[in-house]
Amino acid sequence: MNNMITKKLFVSKNSNDNDYITQAVKILAAGGIVAIPTETVYGLAANATDETAVKNIFKAKGRPQDNPLIVHISSLNMLYPLVKAFPNKAKKCAEAFWPGPFTIVLPKSDAIPKRVCAGLDTVALRMPSNKVALNIIKACKFPLAAPSANLSGLPSPTSAEHVLKDLNGRIDAIVFAEDSNIGLESTVVSFAVNPPRLLRPGGISVEQIKEILPNIVIDDAVVSQINKDIPVASPGMKYKHYSPKCNITIIDSDFDSFKAFVEEKKNVCALCFKGEEKKLSVPCITYGCIDDSSSQAFKLFNALRSLDDKNFAECFARCPNKKGIGLAVYNRLLRAASFKVIKI
Ligand code: TXA
Ligand code: MG
């Protein structure tokens, strides 16, 4: 799969020039796979009702077959044929958070091939808010299955350049648009169970969800390592993820203790907050501001990719605050660090 020519489809600044949509739709309708921007991360899209196209997503990413995909829609009309039930609680969340970084898991209908959902009897659905993504889905008139457009195991791509680096020659096209403005993936909530369960924290915070679903249950996999041999609610959470080659350890401490700890080590680098690099004598990559979780979300995956671009082997990371979208930042960093945390 490494010998395809990957087309670059550029989004024109002229809003009347929709050539990139026409071309993306043509490729998708013919069963091709196209990377598209979304507000969370770039996604690798295929017609969700075309089993062969979906199979090619798994192949291009090297994704394990038992990790199900999210199906992207542009209207509620598109959702109804894909599910067996749409409970009231899920409807309320859709009203509050769609279009946006929120994914709803529901009992699936037969319109979605089993491969999309890795054999589960549920389907994950999301209506993205990114205009380019919405326009492409609308024009396709079929739902798009789309995981993050990275090679499996690597950090999710927040720019078209990241996608090109991972998947050039392995996919049909990449839509080049602006960088993803949230920077980490959607929140995943299952409504196939009662009470609803948070499977993955993301762009919509637990605090926001609790305003609508006060009894939401947080799955154990959100902040702890799970046994690979037992079945899990969200298969994606069991894999090594978001992981550069560089070995990362999170240091849960204040800045002074962090500084003392890393400066004692040889040949290491620090993943720290903006401004701290001036106070540290080791090489640094920053990921956002200490008191601004959204800026950390926006920068984290880019920072993780930079560790490998600079060939760092060993990295110690500052621990993010876990409130709001910070829980998602912590969840991703924890996986990038293979759950290695040192508390000082
Ligand atoms: O923001 C996002 O969600 C991005 C953009 C492209 O929309 N997509 C994304 O997809 O992050 P992916 O494949 O990297 O992550 C999908 C997550 C995985 O953790 C997967 O296990 C879970 O959603 N998932 C998908 N279908 C599921 C289902 N039926 N039940 C439980 N979890 C499911
Ligand atoms: Mg992913």
Side-chain angles (χ1 to χ4, degrees):
M1 240 218 182
N2 235 337
N3 49 10
M4 290 168 97
I5 303 228
T6 299
K7 270 194 182 167
K8 294 180 182 174
L9 306 177
F10 292 96
V11 174
S12 166
K13 291 215 166 71
N14 170 1
S15 58
N16 293 325
D17 178 2
N18 288 330
D19 190 47
Y20 74 94
I21 299 182
T22 313
Q23 292 208 50
V25 173
K26 200 170 153 198
I27 298 169
L28 289 162
I33 49 177
V34 178
I36 61 168
T38 87
E39 70 280 16
T40 55
V41 299
Y42 272 66
L44 180 56
N47 179 349
T49 63
D50 179 339
E51 179 131 31
T52 312
V54 169
K55 194 168 142 194
N56 286 334
I57 291 182
F58 283 88
K59 227 198 243 172
K61 279 187 59 116
R63 183 179 176 99
Q65 299 287 337
D66 66 348
N67 194 1
L69 309 179
I70 295 175
V71 173
H72 296 70
I73 53 174
S74 58
S75 69
L76 282 184
N77 285 343
M78 241 173 165
L79 172 145
Y80 289 104
L82 310 180
V83 300
K84 275 197 179 141
F86 190 21
N88 243 332
K89 287 178 183 171
K91 266 186 202 147
K92 279 193 180 160
C93 286
E95 266 165 33
F97 305 131
W98 278 359
F102 192 78
T103 295
I104 291 177
V105 175
L106 294 172
K108 79 182 261 304
S109 77
D110 295 337
I112 295 288
K114 279 192 175 152
R115 188 180 291 272
V116 173
C117 308
L120 299 174
D121 51 12
T122 54
V123 57
L125 296 148
R126 179 162 106 80
M127 192 190 297
S129 62
N130 179 288
K131 290 281 179 296
V132 173
L134 273 180
N135 286 338
I136 291 173
I137 306 166
K138 255 185 222 160
C140 280
K141 300 192 183 80
F142 47 75
L144 293 179
S148 49
N150 51 288
L151 279 176
S152 201
L154 292 185
S156 299
T158 55
S159 71
E161 291 301 330
H162 292 164
V163 181
L164 190 69
K165 191 157 184 211
D166 280 15
L167 299 176
N168 192 19
R170 303 173 72 92
I171 63 176
D172 294 291
I174 302 172
V175 176
F176 275 67
E178 286 177 358
D179 291 0
S180 299
N181 60 7
I182 295 176
L184 50 71
E185 304 87 343
S186 62
T187 302
V188 179
V189 175
S190 175
F191 294 86
V193 289
N194 207 0
R197 179 176 283 259
L198 175 85
L199 303 182
R200 178 177 74 179
I204 298 290
S205 69
V206 173
E207 292 83 344
Q208 282 171 289
I209 301 170
K210 280 195 169 160
E211 285 179 23
I212 296 167
L213 305 172
N215 297 328
I216 184 155
V217 174
I218 315 283
D219 197 84
D220 287 346
V222 169
V223 288
S224 39
Q225 192 163 21
I226 42 181
N227 183 338
K228 283 204 175 87
D229 300 326
I230 55 171
V232 286
S234 182
M237 288 285 107
K238 77 180 176 193
Y239 290 105
K240 192 172 154 94
H241 240 107
Y242 318 113
S243 233
K245 289 189 202 89
C246 177
N247 185 33
I248 303 175
T249 306
I250 300 172
I251 306 298
D252 188 355
S253 71
D254 60 20
F255 178 72
D256 290 341
S257 309
F258 179 84
K259 179 175 163 67
F261 182 91
V262 290
E263 290 186 346
E264 239 175 33
K265 310 256 178 225
K266 286 207 174 73
N267 299 324
V268 303
C269 73
L271 185 61
C272 61
F273 300 122
K274 204 170 161 214
E276 294 178 348
E277 73 280 14
K278 295 183 194 115
K279 302 178 205 155
L280 291 164
S281 62
V282 297
C284 293
I285 304 269
T286 64
Y287 78 104
C289 303
I290 187 163
D291 52 4
D292 179 0
S293 297
S294 296
S295 72
Q296 294 164 20
F298 183 63
K299 296 278 185 187
L300 180 68
F301 287 146
N302 200 31
L304 293 178
R305 282 177 178 261
S306 302
L307 293 172
D308 283 349
D309 293 343
K310 301 201 165 163
N311 284 318
F312 290 129
E314 189 75 40
C315 170
F316 293 98
R318 292 273 280 133
C319 188
N321 178 319
K322 297 161 202 154
K323 291 206 185 84
I325 196 176
L327 182 65
V329 176
Y330 181 64
N331 170 280
R332 305 307 190 270
L333 188 55
L334 203 51
R335 281 164 176 80
S338 302
F339 292 89
K340 294 188 297 298
V341 183
I342 298 176
K343 203 170 165 66
I344 306 179

